[in-house]
Amino acid sequence: MKNRIEYMKYMNWTKKYRKIQESFEIDALCKLCEMTTKKVRQTIPNIVDWWEIKSNCSSNYANKLLER
């Protein structure tokens, strides 16, 4: 990313190909990227409710990734 010209050459594939949604991990990373690049401010009224009750987390997620 330090060399803008080389970075743009590398990213040229996005003009010809499309990302497909293969798995939850890829989708989650794409969503994270989308959230960080948008200039939309989000607020969470109740962090406990959002984090503990409404979360969509898998138990032992790190271990599942390491098993691959």
Side-chain angles (χ1 to χ4, degrees):
M1 287 180 53
K2 292 180 183 180
N3 184 331
R4 182 172 168 72
I5 294 169
E6 290 300 316
Y7 181 74
M8 295 308 290
K9 280 195 236 176
Y10 172 75
M11 295 305 288
N12 263 342
W13 68 269
T14 61
K15 295 176 185 175
K16 296 179 184 174
Y17 303 99
R18 297 179 69 193
K19 178 193 77 70
I20 60 170
Q21 186 174 343
E22 292 181 19
S23 67
F24 172 75
E25 292 86 17
I26 292 171
D27 188 47
L29 292 174
C30 292
K31 185 68 175 170
L32 179 62
C33 182
E34 178 185 331
M35 290 169 65
T36 57
T37 56
K38 284 187 176 180
K39 301 295 181 192
V40 177
R41 188 175 182 166
Q42 296 180 342
T43 58
I44 300 168
N46 184 333
I47 190 76
V48 174
D49 183 47
W50 177 80
W51 186 265
E52 294 182 0
I53 299 168
K54 294 181 180 175
S55 68
N56 214 7
C57 298
S58 300
S59 61
N60 296 320
Y61 181 71
N63 290 333
K64 289 177 186 174
L65 286 177
L66 293 172
E67 289 173 359
R68 293 181 182 188

